[in-house]
Amino acid sequence: MRRLRVVMALDRVGHSLSDAMPGLEATQKTSPVIGHSAADTPGQFRGWIGEKFVMAIKKIAVLTSGGDAPGMNAAVRAIVRAGISKGYRMMGIQRGYNGLINGECYEMNVRSVSEIIHRGGTILYTARCLEFKTKEGQDRGAAKCRELGIDALVVIGGDGSYRGARELAHRGIPMIGLPGT
C-alpha cells in the first residue's frame, strides 16, 4: 500500500501512473501540466500553467522529521527506489529540518536503501528543530534547498513535520507529505 502511495505521489510531480504500473489502465495519458506528456523524462521543459512557469524536477530529497515511527525505513526505501526508477536523482537529508538547514545531505541510490526494511527507526535519523519554527529558519531551509539544487522534497513525519513542509511549500519548494505515524 505504501508503494502505491509513493507511485501516486510521483504521478503528481509529472509521471503517468500507467507507466509506473504497466498492468493498470489509466484514462488520462497526460499530467495536469500543460505541454507535458507521460513520455517526457525528468529535466525537460514542463510548460506553463496560466501565468506560472512549471520547472522540471530533477532532484528529489527525502527527510524524516519528529519522532521515530515503525515503517519509516520502508517508506524511505520505497521513495528512493521509485524515484530512481523514474530517472530522478534522490537525496537523503539527515536529522530532519535541522539537517536541511545545515546541509546534511547525501545522494542515495538503490544500494544505500537495501537491507534497511528490518531496521528500526530511520537511516536518515530524525530530530526536532526549534529553529525551523521561526520565519528565519524556514527561509534558511528554502534557501538551502535552492543552493543544493533540490527541486522537490518528500517529508515523512507527523503534524509538526507537515507544518514545516507547508511553510517550505509557501516559499516555492514542491512538497509531498507521507504520514510517519
Side-chain angles (χ1 to χ4, degrees), residues 28-107:
Q28 185 180 359
K29 292 294 182 186
T30 59
S31 73
V33 178
I34 298 169
H36 167 69
S37 71
D40 290 343
T41 58
Q44 291 183 340
F45 170 77
R46 293 291 194 247
W48 295 85
I49 297 179
E51 298 292 317
K52 184 178 177 185
F53 175 72
V54 179
M55 294 178 51
I57 293 177
K58 300 174 193 173
K59 188 188 292 186
I60 300 173
V62 60
L63 70 80
T64 55
S65 178
D68 283 352
M72 281 187 161
N73 280 334
V76 169
R77 179 179 182 262
I79 291 164
V80 170
R81 286 187 170 198
I84 289 171
S85 75
K86 290 296 185 181
Y88 296 108
R89 287 184 60 204
M90 300 302 294
M91 304 293 290
I93 299 175
Q94 294 182 313
R95 294 173 186 79
Y97 290 115
N98 190 40
L100 174 63
I101 290 172
N102 296 321
E104 298 177 41
C105 65
Y106 64 97
E107 188 151 0

Side-chain angles (χ1 to χ4, degrees), residues 92-151:
I93 299 175
Q94 294 182 313
R95 294 173 186 79
Y97 290 115
N98 190 40
L100 174 63
I101 290 172
N102 296 321
E104 298 177 41
C105 65
Y106 64 97
E107 188 151 0
M108 298 184 84
N109 55 38
V110 174
R111 181 175 216 130
S112 67
V113 294
S114 64
E115 302 294 324
I116 67 169
I117 290 180
H118 64 279
R119 293 190 204 169
T122 166
I123 62 166
L124 295 175
Y125 306 107
T126 184
R128 290 183 167 88
C129 181
L130 296 177
E131 182 181 0
F132 203 77
K133 291 183 177 183
T134 66
K135 185 177 179 352
E136 295 79 24
Q138 296 159 2
D139 290 339
R140 284 186 59 201
K144 188 57 84 168
C145 281
R146 290 183 190 92
E147 178 186 322
L148 296 171
I150 295 170
D151 301 316

